[in-house]
Amino acid sequence: MSATSAAAAQEDRRVKHLLLRRFMRNRVAVVGACIIIVFVLFVIIGPLVYRTNQTVTDLASANLPPSLDHILGTDAVGHDELGRLMYGGAISLTVGLSAGILATILGVLWGAIAGYVGGIVESAMMRLVDAGIAIPALFLLLVISAIVTPNVVGLILIIGFTSWLVPSRLLHAETLHLKEADSIATLRAFGGSHGRAIGHHILPNAMSTIVVAATFQVADAILLIAYVSYLGLGVQPPQIDWGGMLSSGLTSMYSGRWWLILPPGLSIILVVFACNAVGDGLRDAFEVRGR
């Protein structure tokens, strides 16, 4: 390894250590990261330890309060509520994470291309984004979900394709700044392609913005799936998610069956808070790197 490569590797390690140290100083962000890890383990490992049947109804065990046999009680058809929380959480987190990543990818590519190409193309692409932002994503999601009965993959695609506008605005602004760098000017002078400029120079240097945007997109996607499922337009039975659990338990709220409402509601609140906290922590850490 040459001295230049060794120095670059050492500098890269120093920057990563600085980012990690700055992130760890943000106690709220660390708590958020721990919450996310706990919920991921809960929905993945939980069903392997706490085995329940979430497909067969057992009306003889319907609406039972929490006990040693059913830690969080049962719902109106006898399903164990804790097992249902794990099963519904797996779908909510899968849809939220996948849709958030999809929206980020679409927005990043759109914004980077528009910002780099410029001119009429940029104006047309960003005016389309402005028009899309004027229409609430929840409204579009409800309309599409009412027309097409969604499954897990369908919800990922619907949420992803209705939530990419904000990341595109962020990457557009970042690209306008980055394309003035000396490395881009050198690449253009030697006849480098637009794809190489975006893929090898723009996107790597905008990674901090991309990562932070992705965390907020995941949080927004989890909220959107909860909204849609609460209104009965989410995944269809026997599948369930946390929003669907809230919708199913709503009629039991006045009967004192709190175990049908509080667990999924608190789970949504905690996960969304955790994603936003991690996003704030990453944003603060990357701002230190920029300085």
Side-chain angles (χ1 to χ4, degrees):
M1 180 183 295
S2 65
T4 303
S5 300
Q10 183 177 2
E11 176 65 16
D12 185 59
R13 288 193 296 268
R14 189 192 69 81
V15 171
K16 289 180 180 179
H17 178 72
L18 176 63
L19 292 176
L20 179 60
R21 185 173 61 184
R22 179 66 179 178
F23 181 83
M24 296 300 293
R25 286 179 181 173
N26 190 326
R27 295 183 179 180
V28 177
V30 172
V31 170
C34 292
I35 291 174
I36 292 174
I37 292 172
V38 168
F39 270 100
V40 170
L41 295 177
F42 175 72
V43 302
I44 294 177
I45 300 179
L48 302 178
V49 178
Y50 189 80
R51 297 181 179 274
T52 60
N53 192 326
Q54 295 296 322
T55 57
V56 178
T57 60
D58 182 10
L59 297 180
S61 301
N63 296 321
L64 294 178
S67 64
L68 293 178
D69 293 330
H70 302 283
I71 298 176
L72 287 181
T74 61
D75 64 8
V77 294
H79 291 144
D80 184 274
E81 190 71 3
L82 179 58
R84 205 147 184 82
L85 193 68
M86 298 174 183
Y87 182 66
I91 292 180
S92 291
L93 293 182
T94 298
V95 173
L97 181 62
S98 302
I101 292 175
L102 176 60
T104 303
I105 292 174
L106 293 174
V108 163
L109 293 177
W110 188 276
I113 293 172
Y116 182 80
V117 174
I120 298 177
V121 174
E122 176 190 17
S123 298
M125 293 177 70
M126 297 314 297
R127 293 300 77 75
L128 181 61
V129 170
D130 293 339
I133 290 178
I135 304 174
L138 181 58
F139 173 76
L140 292 175
L141 187 58
L142 290 176
V143 171
I144 298 173
S145 298
I147 297 173
V148 180
T149 302
N151 52 21
V152 172
V153 176
L155 279 175
I156 292 172
L157 295 176
I158 292 172
I159 295 175
F161 279 98
T162 56
S163 306
W164 60 273
L165 300 170
V166 173
S168 70
R169 292 287 296 272
L170 295 174
L171 258 294
H172 173 252
E174 188 77 7
T175 302
L176 291 177
H177 170 69
L178 292 174
K179 74 175 185 178
E180 302 300 330
D182 294 338
S183 58
I184 300 296
T186 303
L187 181 66
R188 288 173 175 172
F190 284 94
S193 65
H194 295 328
R196 183 175 181 82
I198 294 174
H200 291 267
H201 295 274
I202 300 293
L203 296 184
N205 287 290
M207 192 55 62
S208 59
T209 301
I210 296 172
V211 171
V212 173
T215 59
F216 291 122
Q217 284 301 124
V218 170
D220 290 344
I222 291 175
L223 279 178
L224 284 174
I225 178 62
Y227 293 153
V228 172
S229 298
Y230 182 80
L231 296 174
L233 298 175
V235 293
Q236 302 302 306
Q239 293 180 319
I240 194 70
D241 57 69
W242 287 337
M245 292 177 67
L246 281 175
S247 180
S248 299
L250 183 62
T251 56
S252 302
M253 183 173 63
Y254 300 105
S255 302
R257 302 188 185 106
W258 56 266
W259 59 89
L260 300 179
I261 296 292
L262 285 183
L266 288 176
S267 296
I268 294 172
I269 293 172
L270 286 173
V271 171
V272 171
F273 157 77
C275 291
N276 286 324
V278 170
D280 287 335
L282 290 173
R283 181 175 56 195
D284 293 342
F286 280 121
E287 284 178 356
V288 169
R289 185 191 69 170
R291 291 196 294 268

